[in-house]
Amino acid sequence: MADLIEVDDPDDPRLADYRDLRDVTLRKHLEAQHGLFLAEGEKVVRRAVEAGYPARSFLMAPRWLDGLGDVLERSAAPCFVVSEAMAEQVTGFHVHRGALASMRRNALPSVEAVLHGARTVLVVEDVVDHTNIGALFRSGAALGVDAVLLSPRAADPLYRRSVKVAMGAVFSLPWTRLEEWHGALPSLTARGFTTVALTLAEGAVPIEDAVLGLDRVALVLGSEGHGLSARWQADADRLATISMAAGIDSLNVAAASAVACYVAARR
Amino acid sequence: MADLIEVDDPDDPRLADYRDLRDVTLRKHLEAQHGLFLAEGEKVVRRAVEAGYPARSFLMAPRWLDGLGDVLERSAAPCFVVSEAMAEQVTGFHVHRGALASMRRNALPSVEAVLHGARTVLVVEDVVDHTNIGALFRSGAALGVDAVLLSPRAADPLYRRSVKVAMGAVFSLPWTRLEEWHGALPSLTARGFTTVALTLAEGAVPIEDAVLGLDRVALVLGSEGHGLSARWQADADRLATISMAAGIDSLNVAAASAVACYVAARR
């Protein structure tokens, strides 16, 4: 059972994990340094715990204790009980979902483990926006993707905003980081995946044709600003495109991903 | 030619249109009251002007004047020239895109005018998030939608965040508000559209089957939280669904819309 600890000093050092949640730069630094991430809201906290992430601590106002009673029951981490005003003072915003938890990151699984048994995977190069990362996970999980691989520079799926947008899919969908960017696509080809890169480059074929009849497919998506790198485009087994209206040259990466996953699920 | 007016008092009342851009409640009130909206960044300001919205004023730091020289040349509205620090002080955030303009809203066109010649339209019920509204416009424009109709309570496509996410598509894609929610779908059916509602309700058929071979299609999308109202589901000519993975019961409305538009474009 978690110890319930009432805290009334907003500067209490035990609350350090919860400081200034809107300061992206500070948070990235703090979360990397301490190997933690923040779960926000009863549903997300519960999913994170059920997915096997150990809690470092919980922070909540008294009226949120009951909803997470069973989770607290089974945890040895402390639960800091604060007023709603103080929760706002510490985090820097009005915590309208109530419960927060600081979770320990687990070591990332190997690429091999993540790909085990997978038939459709998303491979994401340098997508840096947390909302987009969250959306890729949510749509991927709904539309039949089995795993997600992220390039070394892609945004963090466990960042608070990513988790929220993903509606918990970052916990249910297996994912990891590619250890190395350079040879990433050839190594997928070597594992029996056909790598299909979404691009506006010349010679790209409609996505339906690109995936038709394939067994194991890796859908490869590039960053928001510049799309895929030249290296990854050159390395992909196939170049595919989503046909668009005349005069319009791009879709948001999350929308493109949803369409590509949908089409791939019907290959 | 716009008058260039140097302003060095952040409380100058002529800057009222640009105050506290992050305060959603204040901005909604102020923008409705004065019939204005904010365009942010050289590209968006240019697109808004080219789409026929008259500028009330411009606000920018000196180094942004050149990029919009041709736009200022053709405008009679004043251009307030301020330091970057002062732009931040007035708007409440770091204006990294530089140029801002306060634009006058035009009267909304009639539903009839918006539907003229349209073959595929999006009908949006009560989507309240500006990011989602912007995403619906961006994907719709890219994937062959001809017009957008919004329920009375759907979020504002001209709100700063919507405009930004839409990448200007709120200016290029014809849209208006439905004057009345109750009879909206039957009136579209009467105009020759088959209304196809996206829903998880029983009896819904796969979206591909629902749109196959149709001439004029209205894709009907519900709000983020509760989906479509019972009224609109009952009134739709067809109920359609996007098949999802087992155990997952929803897609974000923007992702669902992208998939539906893509499928409808290939009907």
Side-chain angles (χ1 to χ4, degrees), chain B residues 12 21 45 55 80 90 114 117 121 132 136 138 144 154 177 183 192 234 250 258 260:
Chain B
D12 191 311
L21 293 184
V45 169
F80 304 117
V90 171
V114 163
V121 305
N132 283 336
L136 291 176
R138 182 174 176 191
R177 291 231 179 238
S250 87

Side-chain angles (χ1 to χ4, degrees), chain B residues 1-4 46 49 58 60 65-77 79:
Chain B
M1 172 71 196
D3 277 332
L4 303 186
R46 185 182 301 280
V49 169
F58 302 89
M60 61 192 82
L65 286 166
D66 281 353
L68 279 169
D70 58 317
V71 170
L72 297 174
E73 185 69 44
R74 291 191 301 269
S75 176
C79 176

Side-chain angles (χ1 to χ4, degrees), chain B residues 4 36 51 72 77 207 232 247:
Chain B
L4 303 186
L36 65 86
L72 297 174
I207 176 76
W232 278 28

Side-chain angles (χ1 to χ4, degrees), chain A residues 9-38:
Chain A
D9 174 7
D11 296 323
D12 191 310
R14 292 173 296 181
L15 307 187
D17 286 4
Y18 302 94
R19 296 232 180 273
D20 299 324
L21 294 184
R22 288 186 126 164
D23 184 333
V24 180
T25 311
L26 172 83
R27 293 303 307 182
K28 279 186 181 169
H29 183 72
L30 184 146
E31 297 187 8
Q33 192 182 348
H34 297 288
L36 64 87
F37 69 96
L38 257 281

